[in-house]
Amino acid sequence: MATSVLDEPDVAGRIRRGPDLIRVLFESLMIMATIALGGIGAHTSSGLESDVHNGVEFAPAFILGAITVLTNAATVAIPVGLAIERLVRGDGKHVANAVIAAAVGCGITSVLNVWITSSYAPGWLLSELTRHLGSGTTPPLHIYLVTVIAFLTALGFNDRPSLRTFTWVCVAVYFTATLISGDSALVGLIVTFLLGRGIGFGWRYARGVANERPGIQIVLAELGRAGLAPVSCHRKGEHKATRRYEVRCADDRRLEVAVLDRDRQAVGLIYRIYRHIRLRGPAQQRNPFSLRRTVEHEALLSYALADAGISTPKLLAVREPSADSALLAYEHVPARSLDRLADEEFTDELIEGVWNIVRELGRHQIAHRRLALDSILADEHGQIWLTELRNGEIAADELQHLLDIAATMAALALKAGPERTVRIGADIIGEDRIGAALPFLQPVLLTRGTRLAARKSKHLLRRLREQILEIHPQAPTTEPVKLERLKPRTILTVSAGCFAVYVLMLEIASAGNASGHSPWQLMAAASPWWLLIAAATAALTYVAAAMQLAGFIPENLPKAQNLMVQLASSFVALFTPAAVGGVALNVRFLQRRGIPTGPALSAVGAGQAVAFIIHIALIATFGFFASGGATHDEASTTMIAILLAIAVLAMTTLTVAPLRRLAKRRLVPFFEGSLPRLLDVAQNPRKLALALGGTLSISLLNALCLWSCIHALGGHAIPSYPTVALMYLTVQAVSSASPTPAGMGAVELGLGGALALAGVAKPTAVVAVLVYRLLTTYLPAVPGYAALGRLRHRRAV
């Protein structure tokens, strides 16, 4: 019987592939990282270049000459040979696109070389990408190499790994020969390679590649070879990067055909990688990146469900129409997904059917891992069917089954409500199983569709938890199971910390260039007496912190252990957001001393509340003295501007509702429950003196340490102590909002910029702040680690 193709959409002759765009972004990021690391390790790269160049001087000249000739010939012959082969095969358009990519690469590289060597580009970029020779400097970027690499990248190798490996080995040898001959700098060569790759992939994405995805005719031919005798086909669209077809066979059977294309596997790749990094253990969903493994895994789950007697569309055929695509043909099931049913169609019988399926999955140790309204079908007889099997697991453990139960509860509750969902689920799978799944009712563990719908339905998960506890008060725990390896805040903190380190390195390098001396030379020339004063004041801050904690506790704390706790906080602070680590360690110390959790939290919260009030009062006080006693009008104007900025920030926070709510969330925990503790402290003069004296001394001693560091380095424009104190207090308040541990990067940039505005030379300001941070933050972490280990050994924290 002749086949007829129905509703065939217009197929684009060329398509833009997602992996090409991802590669362009990757090459761009690698270029920025190379330039950044090249700036930090400039001496290392130049030393490596000199070592290579000097080392090969002992090699025979004829060997070096032969290597140069062979690599030059190879980098010419290989691209020409590939182009001729494609032309012989009638693929002239592909060759033309590669030639255009090479021309674009040549043009872009030429323009970049002109710009880098001009006065408009930063000088550090030219020094990184070039190498100084007796006759001048080398070009920043190698035009010929960019042209060849862009051509090879755009042309491709037609899935011939041996040829691809040989070609890139030849290019690598050419790179080495170029470096040995001194014709390019190491950083310039690396950027050249990445730029060529990026241009090749960029042109390939912009121009598109020939659409080699199998069309409907090929799909029908493959189904015919599988013995299914298709007679018509209708494309239903694309779902989750998979093309869907509805096919009618000669025996009136209807098929649901899913076609997977290799180039569409990159859709959602970044999100899948993010989820894989963020979640740990069984919470991770299977995400095979190989097309063949994806198809094999889905087929395996389909056969496993069918063998277990669980309703799922029957898999009739698995075929590979081409090397870059695969299809799965399922028997059509006249059913609708649950997300397309009206709320009134969610009868108790329907919900019971879903829970029966979940029970059978657990009995056969199969986990679906994507139970949601769009992956569960119901036919007109109320029978439940499962689809979307790609993420499932066989031989699933208990935890994976509990994840399925939690996902089912959240999905059904969107339509049937928490009360009916939990009640029927408890009747089918048991109250114990429902209660055991309680800790897994977390948004991060749900599918994206369920998570977004639950976010719109306010308090859905909380209501589910309440229903579970109502029918099963003996639920083992109400605390969520920790299945996140990294929370978004942690990822932000790590990223911000890496960026802060990079910025700090650039600041130190720029300070050295501006002064003509390295930062270490400036430190070595510092006054030892002022450095001794700075170190002493930094050490006294830990005594002041111990006084502050002792002042807010009615009980007497052991002085040595209290001091060790404050020193240990310096180590903890390097790995936690600002103020979090120290607060948690102090509370833990008080709990170990037998103080209940409530009073311990109140004491530490009272200390934070008083510190906040004193901090604001000190800013106002030193702002008055700094403005009145400044010897320069510019410094006075700067101080007034800082105070006005703080006032504007405070007023904006109070006026804008989201900012006001954010401030309330951050400040209320410090002040909540602190008033009774403050009243207790006020009635004891000794404790009051310890509390206020310690809190006040922490700020004054830190400011004195910074001021001493500035004096140690000397200079002509040393600000007064009130001015430095105002700068320290202001920057400290602003940097507390930084996501980096201990305000890393934010404090250095803020203090350095403030000192520069006050008239301190930039090299002096940067190095003074660096010395201050070494004495107060970074160096104390070493004894802090030892103190933390000692406290743990004694079970004091």
Side-chain angles (χ1 to χ4, degrees):
M1 182 179 295
T3 61
S4 59
V5 180
L6 305 178
D7 299 330
E8 171 78 55
D10 293 333
V11 179
R14 308 189 69 83
I15 55 174
R16 292 187 175 91
R17 304 198 316 167
D20 290 338
L21 180 59
I22 292 178
R23 291 187 180 109
V24 172
L25 297 176
F26 175 76
E27 304 296 343
S28 302
L29 290 174
M30 291 300 297
I31 288 174
M32 291 187 287
T34 302
I35 293 176
L37 294 175
I40 296 174
H43 296 293
T44 303
S45 60
S46 60
L48 181 60
E49 293 165 4
S50 300
D51 292 342
V52 171
H53 187 66
N54 294 334
V56 298
E57 289 181 351
F58 298 99
F62 74 92
I63 294 180
L64 298 179
I67 292 175
T68 303
V69 171
L70 290 176
T71 53
N72 287 340
T75 52
V76 172
I78 291 176
V80 172
L82 287 173
I84 293 174
E85 181 204 20
R86 292 291 181 90
L87 291 173
V88 170
R89 293 169 52 191
D91 197 4
K93 291 183 178 179
H94 208 163
V95 175
N97 282 324
V99 171
I100 295 175
V104 171
C106 180
I108 291 177
T109 310
S110 301
V111 172
L112 285 175
N113 278 345
V114 172
W115 176 72
I116 292 171
T117 55
S118 70
S119 59
Y120 297 101
W124 57 265
L125 184 60
L126 179 64
S127 62
E128 278 188 42
L129 299 178
T130 57
R131 182 177 180 183
H132 294 281
L133 302 174
S135 58
T137 58
T138 61
L141 301 173
H142 204 296
I143 297 177
Y144 173 68
L145 280 174
V146 171
T147 304
V148 170
I149 293 170
F151 178 84
L152 294 173
T153 302
L155 188 65
F157 298 93
N158 267 0
D159 292 328
R160 287 181 287 180
S162 300
L163 179 60
R164 180 172 59 244
T165 302
F166 175 74
T167 301
W168 292 124
V169 167
C170 291
V171 172
V173 174
Y174 185 92
F175 267 56
T176 305
T178 304
L179 182 63
I180 289 173
S181 63
D183 292 336
S184 283
L186 176 61
V187 177
L189 278 175
I190 297 174
V191 173
T192 292
F193 175 77
L194 297 173
L195 180 63
R197 294 279 287 175
I199 292 173
F201 286 126
W203 175 254
R204 202 161 76 179
Y205 179 78
R207 181 70 179 87
V209 297
N211 187 359
E212 298 178 354
R213 297 173 183 170
I216 289 183
Q217 294 286 3
I218 297 178
V219 170
L220 292 174
E222 290 295 329
L223 294 176
R225 294 188 187 97
L228 297 175
V231 296
S232 66
C233 183
H234 164 66
R235 181 167 177 175
K236 299 172 64 175
E238 192 168 304
H239 178 67
K240 299 187 182 301
T242 303
R243 288 184 284 151
R244 305 281 181 168
Y245 296 92
E246 182 178 328
V247 178
R248 186 169 61 85
C249 300
D251 56 1
D252 287 334
R253 280 190 302 173
R254 293 169 62 189
L255 308 179
E256 296 287 342
V257 179
V259 179
L260 290 77
D261 300 301
R262 190 182 303 277
D263 62 275
R264 297 293 291 161
Q265 291 291 100
V267 175
L269 176 63
I270 295 176
Y271 178 76
R272 295 200 300 272
I273 294 175
Y274 164 76
R275 294 275 296 181
H276 191 78
I277 294 173
R278 182 178 174 185
L279 300 178
R280 64 182 178 184
Q284 293 179 344
Q285 289 186 348
R286 179 182 293 272
N287 288 311
F289 299 109
S290 164
L291 177 64
R292 173 174 284 275
R293 289 193 177 186
T294 299
V295 174
E296 289 176 348
H297 188 73
E298 183 169 343
L300 174 64
L301 262 294
S302 178
Y303 295 142
L305 289 180
D307 185 66
I310 298 173
S311 298
T312 185
K314 184 178 180 180
L315 182 61
L316 300 176
V318 180
R319 308 288 293 185
E320 279 194 356
S322 68
D324 294 323
S325 63
L327 67 82
L328 299 99
Y330 290 94
E331 190 174 41
H332 173 75
V333 175
R336 293 179 295 165
S337 58
L338 298 189
D339 60 336
R340 297 186 177 182
L341 300 182
D343 292 349
E344 56 271 15
E345 295 182 84
F346 270 76
T347 62
D348 288 356
E349 292 75 16
L350 178 68
I351 301 172
E352 289 173 3
V354 175
W355 280 119
N356 281 323
I357 288 284
V358 174
R359 181 184 60 188
E360 290 302 305
L361 286 172
R363 195 165 68 86
H364 290 88
Q365 289 188 295
I366 301 174
H368 186 278
R369 297 309 312 278
R370 203 194 168 280
L371 288 173
L373 294 177
D374 60 346
S375 62
I376 304 175
L377 310 182
D379 60 22
E380 57 183 4
H381 304 294
Q383 185 175 354
I384 302 301
W385 301 77
L386 294 183
T387 60
E388 304 293 340
L389 311 178
R390 203 166 300 164
N391 297 316
E393 299 281 354
I394 60 172
D397 57 21
E398 175 72 7
L399 190 146
Q400 290 173 324
H401 183 50
L402 292 176
L403 289 171
D404 270 359
I405 294 175
T408 304
M409 276 195 290
L412 290 178
L414 292 170
K415 288 282 192 176
E419 191 276 332
R420 270 207 306 163
T421 298
V422 174
R423 173 175 54 80
I424 298 175
D427 292 339
I428 300 297
I429 66 173
E431 294 180 359
D432 291 340
R433 305 294 294 157
I434 290 291
L438 173 60
F440 299 95
L441 282 172
Q442 305 176 46
V444 70
L445 302 179
L446 305 177
T447 64
R448 183 185 298 184
T450 304
R451 187 165 61 248
L452 294 176
R455 191 177 300 166
K456 296 178 182 178
S457 178
K458 293 184 178 180
H459 311 302
L460 178 72
L461 298 183
R462 179 177 61 80
R463 290 161 54 201
L464 274 172
R465 296 187 187 101
E466 292 172 353
Q467 290 296 325
I468 293 172
L469 292 174
E470 184 175 332
I471 68 168
H472 188 61
Q474 298 81 24
T477 178
T478 59
E479 292 296 325
V481 175
K482 294 182 179 180
L483 293 173
E484 289 183 272
R485 178 184 286 114
L486 295 173
K487 293 186 177 181
R489 183 186 181 96
T490 306
I491 297 174
L492 175 63
T493 299
V494 173
S495 302
C498 295
F499 179 74
V501 170
Y502 168 63
V503 173
L504 184 59
M505 291 295 183
L506 287 183
E507 281 291 303
I508 294 173
S510 64
N513 294 335
S515 64
H517 302 282
S518 70
W520 317 114
Q521 291 174 326
L522 293 175
M523 290 184 192
S527 167
W529 298 107
W530 278 109
L531 287 179
L532 184 62
I533 295 174
T537 53
L540 287 174
T541 57
Y542 297 99
V543 178
M547 291 170 54
Q548 180 194 43
L549 181 62
F552 288 100
I553 292 295
E555 296 81 4
N556 291 324
L557 300 176
K559 296 181 177 60
Q561 283 192 358
N562 187 6
L563 187 59
M564 289 177 66
V565 168
Q566 308 314 316
L567 187 59
S569 297
S570 63
F571 172 75
V572 177
L574 288 181
F575 302 95
T576 57
V580 174
V583 169
L585 194 63
N586 281 329
V587 171
R588 183 63 175 168
F589 171 60
L590 296 180
Q591 289 174 330
R592 285 291 191 180
R593 295 298 304 171
I595 300 173
T597 302
L601 289 172
S602 297
V604 176
Q608 296 291 323
V610 171
F612 176 79
I613 295 172
I614 289 180
H615 201 99
I616 298 299
L618 286 176
I619 288 178
T621 303
F622 283 117
F624 172 77
F625 285 110
S627 299
T631 57
H632 301 288
D633 291 339
E634 293 182 358
S636 301
T637 303
T638 301
M639 296 307 112
I640 294 173
I642 291 175
L643 293 175
L644 287 176
I646 294 174
V648 170
L649 179 62
M651 294 303 297
T652 304
T653 303
L654 293 174
T655 304
V656 181
L659 294 178
R660 185 171 62 250
R661 289 192 293 269
L662 176 63
K664 185 178 179 181
R665 286 197 303 269
R666 295 292 298 270
L667 297 178
V668 165
F670 290 142
F671 290 94
E672 192 175 34
S674 301
L675 184 58
R677 174 65 56 181
L678 294 175
L679 294 176
D680 291 341
V681 171
Q683 296 175 4
N684 188 330
R686 178 177 170 275
K687 290 289 184 180
L688 182 63
L690 279 175
L692 295 181
T695 304
L696 188 63
S697 298
I698 292 174
S699 298
L700 297 179
L701 288 171
N702 274 296
L704 181 59
C705 179
L706 177 59
W707 190 59
S708 301
C709 292
I710 300 172
H711 271 281
L713 293 169
H716 300 290
I718 299 178
S720 63
Y721 174 73
T723 301
V724 174
L726 176 62
M727 293 176 183
Y728 161 75
L729 293 166
T730 304
V731 171
Q732 193 68 24
V734 175
S735 64
S736 63
S738 171
T740 56
M744 185 184 298
V747 173
E748 285 82 358
L749 291 177
L751 287 178
L755 290 176
L757 287 175
V760 180
K762 184 178 180 180
T764 302
V766 171
V767 177
V769 172
L770 177 61
V771 174
Y772 161 75
R773 291 287 278 173
L774 284 172
L775 292 175
T776 59
T777 304
Y778 303 126
L779 292 181
V782 178
Y785 175 76
L788 182 62
R790 186 67 175 171
L791 290 168
R792 285 179 172 174
H793 178 71
R794 294 183 177 182
R795 298 185 180 276
V797 293

